[in-house]
Amino acid sequence: MLVLYLAICGLVGVCSFRLSGRVLCPPVVYSLLWLFGYVAALMAFGWPTVSNVNYSLFALSAVAFALGYFACFRDQDKGTMASGNNDRKTFGPLLIAALVVSLLIAASFLSKAVAANALSGSVWTTIRHALAAGDISLSSMEEYGVQFICVLFLVSFYLAVRSNDLKNICFAILCSIPLAIVFLFSHRGLWFMELIAITAIWIYVKRPWNGTIVRVAALCVLVIGTIFVVSTFSKFGEVAFEDPVDFVVHYAKLYFAASFEAFSRWLDTEPALLMGDNILRFPMVVLNALGFDFMDRGLIQDYIDIGDGLQTNVYTVLRFYVEDFGILYGLLIQGALGFVYGALDSSVLRSNCSAPATLIILCLMYYPLINSFFDDKFFSITSSWIQMLFWSFVLTRNLFIVSDPGIPAARGCGEEEALS
């Protein structure tokens, strides 16, 4: 059965590449994600375990996602972007004001770290411990400022990449300062989201050959892997292992294979359906704030023992959907998400990257796509997505981004050669 699952994922990836002409295509990325998961689970748990019929749902989700995506994708979107607007864009007065606001927010973050004596040793770990212990507390405005700062940097990065103008590059460097400070107070997922987004923005705007895309993606994976390893040692370094290799193997299994087996074992328990409590969590939280009394089940799942000394509460993205209304519903949600990605991707391709808000949202959404390996980052963080959508559209309006005749015209993506 495992061979069949691998073949389905491989076929989805190859067909998606042939139809789109691009390596950076959401269904290609999604099928590769599940292929990697199958291989990781095989190495961790063995052939009989991974051949369980429950594991077929990952391959079927890749199929559903691809079908939804190509329901929006058109032949004219293949390979190259359409010719479009080559306006010379730069930052306007309101974007400069936004930078000043972001620096003030970052200064507020730093002042709290200084007051808590948290700028010592491993700064990120120290600050995270201080946040957990209550020694540092962030106001609602500061928490909302995180998404603002992240989107601001992506807007500045888009301007720098599109124009290659020194002024825009320097502005992006300035915008990276508050971002770096915010990172010290954030979980690794935010780092990965931003890194994946800037990689995707560069690829969409520059439109290099597929070989270059693979090399750039490999570099992104290497950086993420390095951050992951270093931060994991920082976070769990006190755990006793006689051999450092055992430490690496243990956490490699825990992070890259355990979620597959956890989902399979959870499905074997024939769990009761939640009838929409997961996907409707945000509306229910809003209604509760207005005086209603809906049960909030939270986002933290129960731990499950999957053998070999491993326990996890991560079940891949599929549990979040399947737990609501069952397997068919879970696959339909995957198809619906594919449709959304197809609509965004086609819009970006046809607009020649001249609609930065749409481009930034699409590139941000590559993170939850990849994070499907672990859990849902679509509906479980709806409030964060609303904020990022809001700031993406606000920070790319007139007076935030303006035309500058002094900047050389950006080379239109439609002028690039085909990628297929």
Side-chain angles (χ1 to χ4, degrees):
M1 294 297 288
L2 176 59
V3 174
L4 177 61
Y5 306 156
L6 293 172
I8 292 173
C9 287
L11 185 62
V12 170
V14 171
C15 290
S16 299
F17 173 73
R18 295 296 298 173
L19 289 171
S20 67
R22 298 176 295 122
V23 171
L24 188 64
C25 174
V28 173
V29 174
Y30 202 48
S31 59
L32 288 175
L33 173 79
W34 295 131
L35 272 174
F36 174 79
Y38 278 128
V39 173
L42 173 63
M43 295 176 65
F45 304 113
W47 189 282
T49 298
V50 185
S51 293
N52 187 307
V53 68
N54 292 343
Y55 277 76
S56 67
L57 291 181
F58 304 114
L60 293 177
S61 70
V63 173
F65 184 89
L67 290 174
Y69 175 88
F70 285 107
C72 266
F73 196 80
R74 299 292 181 265
D75 289 339
Q76 63 265 30
D77 301 328
K78 180 178 178 180
T80 57
M81 296 184 186
S83 296
N85 190 347
N86 279 339
D87 284 350
R88 302 157 175 87
K89 298 295 187 181
T90 188
F91 51 91
L94 291 185
L95 207 60
I96 296 174
L99 172 60
V100 173
V101 171
S102 71
L103 289 169
L104 292 175
I105 294 173
S108 174
F109 276 64
L110 273 183
S111 66
K112 293 190 174 183
V114 170
N117 295 317
L119 296 179
S120 60
S122 175
V123 178
W124 174 69
T125 303
T126 305
I127 290 177
R128 294 296 293 173
H129 286 166
L131 285 167
D135 297 330
I136 297 177
S137 61
L138 302 178
S139 67
S140 297
M141 293 304 297
E142 287 170 329
E143 292 178 349
Y144 291 143
V146 171
Q147 278 72 34
F148 167 74
I149 290 173
C150 288
V151 173
L152 174 63
F153 174 74
L154 293 179
V155 172
S156 69
F157 183 79
Y158 162 81
L159 292 174
V161 171
R162 185 169 175 81
S163 69
N164 285 327
D165 181 69
L166 180 60
K167 179 172 65 174
N168 284 343
I169 293 172
C170 290
F171 185 78
I173 292 173
L174 288 174
C175 289
S176 70
I177 295 173
L179 180 69
I181 294 172
V182 163
F183 275 0
L184 294 176
F185 291 77
S186 305
H187 53 82
R188 292 176 295 183
L190 187 69
W191 308 357
F192 298 155
M193 174 183 278
E194 200 79 355
L195 180 58
I196 291 169
I198 64 174
T199 302
I201 288 173
W202 185 89
I203 292 172
Y204 272 98
V205 173
K206 293 299 186 181
R207 296 297 287 163
W209 290 96
N210 281 321
T212 303
I213 293 175
V214 171
R215 289 192 291 271
V216 171
L219 177 61
C220 179
V221 170
L222 179 62
V223 173
I224 289 176
T226 301
I227 294 173
F228 171 80
V229 171
V230 172
S231 58
T232 298
F233 270 103
S234 176
K235 189 175 180 180
F236 300 110
E238 71 277 4
V239 180
F241 280 90
E242 295 181 0
D243 187 346
V245 174
D246 292 338
F247 180 94
V248 173
V249 170
H250 176 84
Y251 282 102
K253 286 182 179 180
L254 184 63
Y255 280 102
F256 300 122
S259 59
F260 275 56
E261 180 61 13
F263 174 76
S264 177
R265 296 195 181 200
W266 169 79
L267 203 58
D268 283 336
T269 65
E270 299 182 359
L273 300 180
L274 300 182
M275 309 308 293
D277 281 2
N278 282 338
I279 200 169
L280 297 176
R281 179 178 179 274
F282 178 74
M284 288 192 293
V285 170
V286 173
L287 290 173
N288 284 343
L290 297 175
F292 290 84
D293 189 24
F294 291 101
M295 179 184 295
D296 183 4
R297 297 180 181 274
L299 296 174
I300 306 300
Q301 303 286 357
D302 294 332
Y303 277 86
I304 186 173
D305 189 339
I306 57 175
D308 201 19
L310 296 173
Q311 286 188 327
T312 184
N313 64 341
V314 176
Y315 298 81
T316 77
V317 70
L318 293 184
R319 171 172 173 171
F320 192 84
Y321 306 137
V322 171
E323 193 173 26
D324 265 351
F325 293 107
I327 292 173
L328 180 59
Y329 167 82
L331 295 177
L332 288 174
I333 290 293
Q334 293 291 294
L337 288 172
F339 188 89
V340 172
Y341 275 89
L344 289 172
D345 203 23
S346 293
S347 176
V348 168
L349 295 176
R350 288 194 296 266
S351 71
N352 187 35
C353 298
S354 61
T358 307
L359 173 65
I360 288 170
I361 289 299
L362 173 62
C363 293
L364 281 168
M365 286 180 64
Y366 273 97
Y367 168 70
L369 185 68
I370 295 171
N371 194 77
S372 298
F373 197 91
F374 303 105
D375 56 16
D376 172 78
K377 284 294 184 287
F378 295 105
F379 300 100
S380 63
I381 55 170
T382 304
S383 61
S384 294
W385 281 111
I386 292 173
Q387 294 173 58
M388 288 186 286
L389 280 166
F390 174 79
W391 290 121
S392 294
F393 282 99
V394 168
L395 295 177
T396 54
R397 299 304 93 189
N398 292 333
L399 297 183
F400 285 95
I401 295 180
V402 299
S403 297
D404 185 351
I407 296 178
R411 184 181 182 186
C413 296
E415 298 167 14
E416 299 282 355
E417 298 183 61
L419 300 183
S420 56

